[in-house]
Amino acid sequence: MKRKQRTEILIEGSHELAKSLANEIEQKYSVSVIQEPEHGLVMLKVRETSRKSLFYLGEVLVTECKAKVEGKIGMGIVKGDHPDLAYQLAVIDAAFLGNLPETKPWAGILEIEKYYIDQKRKAKNEEILRTKVSFETMDV
Amino acid sequence: MGYVAVKGGTLAIEESIKRLKYERLHKEQVLETRQIEGGMRGLIDQVMSESSLYDEKLAALAIKQAEGNPEEAVFLLRAYRSTLPRKHSSQIIETGQMKVERRISASFKDIPGGQILGATTDYTHRLLDFNLMKETEESVSEWLSNYALEHRANEMLQDAPELALPKVLDYLRKEGLIPPLENNDAEPDDVTRESLEFPSSRSQRLQILTRGETGAVTSLAYAVIRGYGALHPTVGELRVGSLPINVEHPNEAGSDEDEYYIGEIKTTEAEMLMPFMIEKAKGKKELEFEIGYGLCFGQNETKAIAMGILDNCLEHPDNSFPSHNEEFVLLHIDSVESTGFISHLKMPHYVTFQSKLDSVRKTKAKAEEREEVQAYE
C-alpha cells in the first residue's frame, strides 16, 4: 500500500491502530528519534477555478516528527497538535521504507480500517444527502 | 509622522493587565477552550480565516484569551503564526476534490449532482430560541441519539454516492458558455514573505482577499452591488466542504501516491458569475460571463461571495470606483493592519500633538495681535 493511502487511513481511522503498529516495531527494533515531534506550518497552495492559476490560501498547523529504524528515516506529519500520532506515523513510515517483515500483514489490517472509514463516510454522506433539494420555479 | 518614545507607568501597566484578567474572570466562569471549539463554530471559522492559520484549538484559545473579540484573537494568532517554522508547502489543492457538505447555485436550478442545502441558517426564522438557555448535556445527548436513530433506518443503503461533485463552471465550459482554460502552474507570490507592491499579481490579490477582515470584505463588496462598482453578480456555485491536504516527501521524488496525507480542512468556495457585453466583429455585441473567485477557511459564505465580487472588481481596474482600485481595497481589508493602525491612535502622541497645539497657539496669538493693531488704527 502506497504512502498516501496508508497515511490517510492512519490519520482518519482510529488512532489506536497507529499506536499498535508503531508499538510492534518498538518492541522488536531500536527506534531513534531524529526530530522530536514539533509544531510547524504547511502553506496551502490552491488552484482557483476562475483563471486556473495558483494562490496561497493560508497555513495549517501541523505536528512533525522524524524517527530512524534499521537505518531508514521515516517522517510523521499530521494536521493539528498530535505529538504521539506524529511519532507513531514516523516509526511506521520508517518501517515501510525499510521494508521490514512486520509490515507485510499490515496491508490487510489497513484495508480493514479503510473499510470502516468508508462506511463512516457513506453514513455521513447519506445524512448530508437528506438535505438535497429540488427547487421548482413557479409560474407567475 | 514622527514618533517619540515615552516612558513611565510600569506599575500602572501591571495593574492594568491584572484588571484585564479580572474583567475576564470576575463572573467566576471558567470557559473551557473545547466548549468554544464545540459551540462557536462561526467565530472559530472567522478567526482562522482572518488570521490565515487553520487550527480550531488555537483559534479557541485565542478567542478565550481575547474574551470573544475577533480582532484581538486574530492579532494573537497572527503573532503566534510568526513564531512557527514553515515546514512545507502543500501539493496543489484542487477544489474539485472537495468532499461537499453543502452546495447550491443561484444561477442554475438543475446542476449536475444536485443542490444540497447542508447546514445553513438561510431558511431559519431568526427568532431567538430561548430553549437554548435551558440546554443541558442530557438534552443534547438525547437529541443526538434521536438524530442517530433517525438515520439508522438508511444504513442499508450502503451505496450512497461520493460527495465529490462536478463543478458548475466545468459544465458551463463544456457547454461553451465560458471559454476553456488550461491550468496555469506558475508559482504564486506570498504576501507573508514579500511586501506587496503595485500593480499586484493575481495570487497576491487572492491571498489578501481570503485573509481579509470579514466585515471589511463584505462592506466593500456590498458597496459594489449598490453602485460603487460596475458589477451585477450571481452565485454560480457556492460550496462548503473538506479538502484533503497532501505534502511531498522533502528529499524523495516519487509519484502522487508517495505523498503524505496530513488531514483535511473545511473551506467555503464561491464562483460568482458576472455577465458583461463584449463587442465582436462588425459592431456585433454578445453577452459573456466572467468569473469572480472566492475561497476561505471554514464555513464563511458571505465572505467567500464578497471575495468573489472583489476579485472580479480588481481584475478590472477602474479609478472611477474605489472598489475597483487595488490599493484602496487590498490595503484596507486586513484586520491586523486596520485595527492596529486605528488602535495606535490610543498610544501617547504627546510630542506631535504638542507641536500642533503650539502652532495653533502661535496662529491665534498673531491673529489677536493683528486685531489689536487694527482696533488701534
Side-chain angles (χ1 to χ4, degrees):
Chain A
M1 184 179 282
K2 292 280 193 177
R3 187 187 276 136
K4 183 148 96 180
Q5 195 180 27
R6 179 217 314 156
T7 46
E8 182 171 356
I9 294 167
L10 291 169
I11 288 171
E12 296 300 332
S14 162
H15 290 180
E16 285 303 310
L17 177 60
K19 192 177 171 184
S20 76
L21 299 185
N23 200 18
E24 200 180 328
I25 296 299
E26 276 174 322
Q27 282 175 353
K28 294 181 184 165
Y29 304 91
S30 139
V31 176
S32 51
V33 178
I34 306 292
Q35 178 202 300
E36 292 286 345
E38 64 177 32
H39 291 144
L41 302 167
V42 168
M43 183 48 118
L44 304 168
K45 192 192 282 182
V46 183
R47 182 175 322 279
E48 51 88 14
T49 50
S50 166
R51 304 270 163 131
K52 296 203 171 181
S53 65
L54 303 176
F55 78 103
Y56 289 123
L57 179 65
E59 286 160 309
V60 60
L61 181 85
V62 293
T63 315
E64 189 186 271
C65 176
K66 286 185 182 127
K68 193 172 177 182
V69 182
E70 294 291 280
K72 296 284 179 186
I73 298 175
M75 184 171 91
I77 179 165
V78 56
K79 182 194 88 169
D81 171 31
H82 299 288
D84 293 343
L85 180 59
Y87 164 76
Q88 290 147 10
L89 289 170
V91 173
I92 295 165
D93 195 42
F96 270 103
L97 280 169
N99 214 10
L100 300 183
E102 287 73 16
T103 60
K104 295 282 179 301
W106 286 0
I109 298 171
L110 289 165
E111 284 293 346
I112 294 168
E113 190 65 21
K114 184 177 180 299
Y115 171 80
Y116 288 118
I117 296 168
D118 287 346
Q119 292 301 99
K120 262 194 212 164
R121 276 192 183 143
K122 278 180 183 169
K124 186 183 171 188
N125 288 353
E126 271 186 39
E127 285 172 23
I128 290 167
L129 282 167
R130 285 191 159 207
T131 68
K132 191 168 176 175
V133 62
S134 178
F135 286 117
E136 300 290 331
T137 43
M138 289 193 286
D139 296 326
V140 191
Chain B
M1 192 187 292
Y3 296 94
V4 177
V6 292
K7 62 177 182 175
T10 312
L11 284 177
I13 289 169
E14 279 171 9
E15 286 304 317
S16 161
I17 293 166
K18 269 191 214 162
R19 191 74 197 158
L20 180 68
K21 191 164 181 175
Y22 169 80
E23 288 292 349
R24 185 169 67 80
L25 299 176
H26 78 282
K27 288 191 177 166
E28 297 189 36
Q29 292 293 319
V30 176
L31 208 52
E32 289 182 30
T33 53
R34 62 185 176 87
Q35 290 176 323
I36 299 172
E37 200 185 329
M40 307 197 86
R41 197 168 57 92
L43 185 56
I44 296 264
D45 286 354
Q46 184 186 334
V47 165
M48 290 196 304
S49 177
E50 292 176 18
S51 58
S52 224
L53 175 60
Y54 196 101
D55 191 79
E56 289 103 333
K57 278 196 175 68
L58 287 177
L61 174 63
I63 289 164
K64 175 174 175 169
Q65 190 177 332
E67 296 177 70
N69 180 342
E71 73 179 58
E72 185 65 22
V74 169
F75 206 131
L76 292 167
L77 279 186
R78 289 258 189 112
Y80 180 68
R81 178 206 150 272
S82 68
T83 66
L84 294 174
R86 183 180 295 170
K87 300 275 190 187
H88 310 270
S89 248
S90 75
Q91 293 297 88
I92 296 170
I93 300 165
E94 304 280 357
T95 55
Q97 292 178 354
M98 184 186 277
K99 288 175 193 144
V100 169
E101 292 173 23
R102 166 165 163 76
R103 183 235 204 180
I104 52 151
S105 172
S107 311
F108 306 97
K109 189 165 65 68
D110 302 307
I111 49 176
Q115 306 221 21
I116 296 165
L117 297 182
T120 178
T121 55
D122 287 354
Y123 308 98
T124 59
H125 290 299
R126 262 69 178 234
L127 299 173
L128 270 181
D129 181 359
F130 289 96
N131 289 325
L132 292 184
M133 292 177 102
K134 294 179 280 182
E135 198 173 48
T136 60
E137 282 183 11
E138 289 76 35
S139 69
V140 167
S141 119
E142 192 186 327
W143 189 92
L144 286 173
S145 314
N146 287 339
Y147 182 81
L149 270 176
E150 226 178 88
H151 291 82
R152 194 165 292 166
N154 277 0
E155 264 180 14
M156 297 302 286
L157 300 167
Q158 286 305 341
D159 53 348
E162 273 299 306
L163 286 178
L165 300 171
K167 305 292 292 271
V168 172
L169 288 191
D170 288 341
Y171 170 69
L172 293 178
R173 282 196 173 108
K174 266 185 211 154
E175 289 268 304
L177 298 171
I178 298 173
L181 268 178
E182 290 298 312
N183 283 347
N184 171 2
D185 283 350
E187 265 312 291
D189 296 310
D190 181 1
V191 296
T192 67
R193 292 280 163 99
E194 271 175 53
S195 305
L196 180 65
E197 280 178 21
F198 296 108
S200 62
S201 64
R202 176 162 176 77
S203 59
Q204 286 172 322
R205 290 199 289 276
L206 291 173
Q207 191 179 3
I208 292 174
L209 287 169
T210 190
R211 59 198 248 140
E213 202 266 320
T214 309
V217 174
T218 306
S219 292
L220 292 181
Y222 177 50
V224 173
I225 304 170
R226 290 200 63 244
Y228 296 93
L231 292 182
H232 302 281
T234 316
V235 174
E237 184 175 358
L238 175 76
R239 45 167 74 192
V240 179
S242 303
L243 291 169
I245 313 296
N246 301 296
V247 297
E248 213 176 12
H249 191 285
N251 315 312
E252 197 185 273
S255 73
D256 290 358
E257 295 307 306
D258 292 319
E259 293 165 0
Y260 293 85
Y261 169 92
I262 65 167
E264 293 178 333
I265 57 159
K266 191 185 255 194
T267 57
T268 305
E269 184 184 48
E271 288 163 341
M272 305 297 296
L273 293 173
M274 325 279 180
F276 75 105
M277 278 290 182
I278 55 158
E279 204 152 319
K280 297 256 166 146
K282 295 178 187 170
K284 207 177 156 192
K285 285 184 175 175
E286 245 177 51
L287 190 67
E288 281 205 356
F289 290 101
E290 281 201 336
I291 299 134
Y293 187 78
L295 180 71
C296 56
F297 284 160
Q299 185 166 6
N300 221 329
E301 298 175 14
T302 313
K303 180 173 171 180
I305 291 170
M307 177 181 168
I309 293 169
L310 292 178
D311 167 44
N312 198 258
C313 285
L314 300 183
E315 285 289 308
H316 300 282
D318 181 349
N319 280 335
S320 353
F321 300 112
S323 51
H324 286 253
N325 178 319
E326 59 176 0
E327 284 194 53
F328 182 82
V329 173
L330 300 179
L331 292 183
H332 294 123
I333 58 171
D334 189 89
S335 163
V336 171
E337 296 280 350
S338 58
T339 59
F341 202 83
I342 297 289
S343 294
H344 107 280
L345 297 175
K346 293 183 286 186
M347 295 294 126
H349 282 66
Y350 308 128
V351 176
T352 42
F353 188 69
Q354 280 303 322
S355 73
K356 280 178 191 157
L357 216 50
D358 283 348
S359 145
V360 173
R361 280 185 187 127
K362 273 180 200 161
T363 320
K364 272 199 156 189
K366 271 186 191 165
E368 278 168 14
E369 210 175 286
R370 259 201 310 274
E371 274 171 23
E372 273 174 29
V373 171
Q374 278 167 354
Y376 247 137
E377 287 167 355

Coordinates of all heavy atoms in Angstrom, one line a residue, chain B residues 12-43:
Chain B
A12 N 1.4 51.0 36.8 CA 0.0 51.2 36.3 C -0.2 50.1 35.2 O -1.3 49.6 35.2 CB -0.1 52.6 35.8
I13 N 0.8 49.9 34.4 CA 0.6 48.9 33.3 C 0.4 47.5 33.9 O -0.5 46.8 33.5 CB 1.8 48.9 32.3 CG1 1.8 50.2 31.5 CG2 1.8 47.7 31.4 CD1 3.0 50.5 30.7
E14 N 1.2 47.2 34.9 CA 1.0 45.8 35.6 C -0.4 45.7 36.1 O -1.1 44.7 36.0 CB 2.0 45.7 36.7 CG 3.4 45.2 36.1 CD 4.5 45.3 37.2 OE1 4.2 45.4 38.4 OE2 5.6 45.1 36.8
E15 N -0.9 46.8 36.8 CA -2.2 46.8 37.4 C -3.3 46.7 36.3 O -4.3 46.1 36.5 CB -2.4 48.0 38.3 CG -1.7 48.0 39.6 CD -2.0 46.7 40.5 OE1 -3.2 46.3 40.6 OE2 -1.1 46.1 41.0
S16 N -3.0 47.4 35.2 CA -4.0 47.4 34.1 C -4.1 45.9 33.5 O -5.3 45.5 33.2 CB -3.5 48.3 33.0 OG -4.1 48.0 31.8
I17 N -3.0 45.2 33.4 CA -3.1 43.8 32.9 C -3.8 42.9 33.9 O -4.6 42.1 33.5 CB -1.6 43.3 32.6 CG1 -1.1 44.1 31.4 CG2 -1.6 41.8 32.3 CD1 0.4 44.0 31.2
K18 N -3.6 43.2 35.2 CA -4.4 42.5 36.3 C -5.9 42.7 36.1 O -6.7 41.9 36.3 CB -3.9 42.9 37.7 CG -2.8 42.1 38.2 CD -2.6 42.4 39.7 CE -1.1 42.3 40.0 NZ -0.8 43.0 41.3
R19 N -6.2 44.0 35.9 CA -7.6 44.4 35.8 C -8.2 43.8 34.6 O -9.4 43.4 34.6 CB -7.6 46.0 35.6 CG -8.9 46.6 35.7 CD -9.4 46.7 37.1 NE -10.8 47.0 37.1 CZ -11.6 46.7 38.1 NH1 -11.2 46.2 39.2 NH2 -12.9 47.0 38.0
L20 N -7.4 43.6 33.5 CA -7.9 42.9 32.3 C -8.3 41.5 32.6 O -9.3 40.9 32.2 CB -6.8 42.9 31.2 CG -7.2 42.3 29.9 CD1 -8.2 43.0 29.1 CD2 -5.9 42.2 29.0
K21 N -7.4 40.8 33.4 CA -7.7 39.5 33.8 C -8.9 39.4 34.7 O -9.8 38.5 34.6 CB -6.5 38.9 34.6 CG -6.6 37.4 34.8 CD -5.2 36.8 35.2 CE -5.4 35.3 35.4 NZ -4.1 34.7 35.6
Y22 N -9.1 40.4 35.6 CA -10.2 40.5 36.5 C -11.5 40.6 35.7 O -12.5 39.9 35.9 CB -10.1 41.7 37.4 CG -11.3 42.0 38.2 CD1 -11.7 41.2 39.3 CD2 -12.2 43.0 37.8 CE1 -12.8 41.5 40.0 CE2 -13.4 43.2 38.4 CZ -13.7 42.4 39.6 OH -14.9 42.7 40.3
E23 N -11.5 41.4 34.6 CA -12.7 41.6 33.8 C -13.1 40.2 33.1 O -14.3 40.0 33.0 CB -12.5 42.6 32.7 CG -12.4 44.1 33.2 CD -13.7 44.6 33.7 OE1 -14.8 43.9 33.5 OE2 -13.7 45.6 34.4
R24 N -12.1 39.4 32.8 CA -12.3 38.1 32.1 C -12.9 37.1 33.1 O -13.7 36.2 32.8 CB -11.1 37.6 31.5 CG -11.3 36.3 30.7 CD -10.1 36.0 29.8 NE -8.9 35.6 30.6 CZ -8.7 34.4 31.2 NH1 -9.6 33.5 31.0 NH2 -7.6 34.2 31.8
L25 N -12.5 37.3 34.4 CA -12.8 36.2 35.4 C -13.8 36.6 36.4 O -14.3 35.7 37.2 CB -11.5 35.8 36.1 CG -10.4 35.2 35.2 CD1 -9.1 35.0 36.1 CD2 -10.8 34.0 34.5
H26 N -14.2 37.9 36.6 CA -15.0 38.2 37.7 C -16.3 37.6 37.8 O -16.9 37.6 38.9 CB -15.0 39.8 37.9 CG -16.0 40.4 37.0 ND1 -15.7 40.7 35.7 CD2 -17.2 40.9 37.2 CE1 -16.8 41.3 35.1 NE2 -17.7 41.4 36.0
K27 N -16.8 37.1 36.7 CA -18.1 36.4 36.8 C -17.9 34.9 37.2 O -18.9 34.1 37.3 CB -18.9 36.5 35.5 CG -19.4 37.9 35.3 CD -20.4 38.1 34.2 CE -20.9 39.5 34.2 NZ -21.6 39.8 33.0
E28 N -16.7 34.6 37.5 CA -16.3 33.3 38.0 C -16.8 32.1 37.1 O -17.3 31.1 37.6 CB -16.8 33.1 39.5 CG -16.1 34.1 40.4 CD -16.3 33.8 41.9 OE1 -16.4 32.6 42.2 OE2 -16.4 34.8 42.6
Q29 N -16.6 32.3 35.8 CA -17.0 31.3 34.9 C -15.7 30.9 34.1 O -15.1 31.8 33.5 CB -18.0 31.8 33.9 CG -19.4 32.0 34.4 CD -20.0 30.8 34.9 OE1 -20.0 29.7 34.3 NE2 -20.7 30.9 36.1
V30 N -15.3 29.6 34.2 CA -14.1 29.2 33.5 C -14.6 28.6 32.2 O -15.3 27.6 32.2 CB -13.3 28.2 34.3 CG1 -12.1 27.7 33.5 CG2 -12.8 28.9 35.6
L31 N -14.3 29.3 31.1 CA -14.7 28.9 29.8 C -13.7 27.9 29.3 O -12.5 28.2 29.1 CB -14.8 30.1 28.9 CG -15.8 30.1 27.7 CD1 -17.2 29.7 28.2 CD2 -15.7 31.5 27.1
E32 N -14.1 26.6 29.1 CA -13.1 25.7 28.5 C -13.0 25.9 27.0 O -13.9 26.1 26.3 CB -13.6 24.3 28.8 CG -13.5 23.9 30.3 CD -13.9 22.5 30.6 OE1 -13.7 21.6 29.7 OE2 -14.5 22.2 31.6
T33 N -11.7 25.8 26.6 CA -11.5 26.0 25.1 C -12.2 25.0 24.3 O -12.7 25.3 23.2 CB -10.0 26.0 24.8 OG1 -9.4 24.8 25.2 CG2 -9.3 27.2 25.4
R34 N -12.4 23.8 24.8 CA -13.2 22.8 24.0 C -14.7 23.2 23.9 O -15.3 22.8 22.9 CB -13.0 21.4 24.5 CG -13.5 21.1 25.9 CD -13.2 19.7 26.3 NE -13.6 19.5 27.7 CZ -14.8 19.2 28.0 NH1 -15.7 18.9 27.1 NH2 -15.2 19.1 29.3
Q35 N -15.2 24.0 24.8 CA -16.5 24.4 24.7 C -16.6 25.5 23.6 O -17.6 25.5 22.8 CB -17.0 25.1 26.0 CG -17.2 24.1 27.2 CD -17.6 24.8 28.5 OE1 -17.1 25.8 28.8 NE2 -18.5 24.2 29.2
I36 N -15.6 26.3 23.5 CA -15.6 27.4 22.5 C -15.5 26.7 21.1 O -16.2 27.0 20.2 CB -14.4 28.3 22.7 CG1 -14.5 29.0 24.0 CG2 -14.3 29.3 21.5 CD1 -13.4 29.9 24.4
E37 N -14.6 25.7 21.1 CA -14.4 24.9 19.8 C -15.6 24.2 19.4 O -16.0 24.2 18.2 CB -13.2 23.9 20.1 CG -12.6 23.4 18.8 CD -11.6 22.3 19.1 OE1 -10.9 22.3 20.1 OE2 -11.4 21.4 18.2
G38 N -16.4 23.7 20.4 CA -17.6 22.9 20.0 C -18.8 23.8 19.7 O -19.6 23.4 18.8
G39 N -18.9 24.9 20.3 CA -20.1 25.7 20.2 C -20.0 27.0 19.5 O -21.0 27.7 19.3
M40 N -18.8 27.4 19.1 CA -18.7 28.7 18.5 C -18.0 28.6 17.1 O -17.1 29.2 16.8 CB -17.9 29.7 19.4 CG -18.5 29.7 20.7 SD -17.9 31.2 21.7 CE -19.1 32.4 21.1
R41 N -18.6 27.7 16.3 CA -18.1 27.3 15.0 C -17.9 28.5 14.1 O -16.9 28.7 13.5 CB -19.0 26.3 14.4 CG -18.5 25.5 13.2 CD -19.4 24.4 12.9 NE -20.8 24.8 12.6 CZ -21.2 25.1 11.3 NH1 -20.4 25.0 10.3 NH2 -22.5 25.5 11.1
G42 N -18.9 29.4 14.1 CA -18.8 30.6 13.2 C -17.7 31.5 13.6 O -16.9 32.0 12.7
L43 N -17.5 31.7 14.9 CA -16.4 32.6 15.3 C -15.0 32.0 15.1 O -14.1 32.6 14.6 CB -16.6 33.0 16.8 CG -15.6 34.0 17.4 CD1 -15.6 35.3 16.6 CD2 -16.0 34.2 18.8

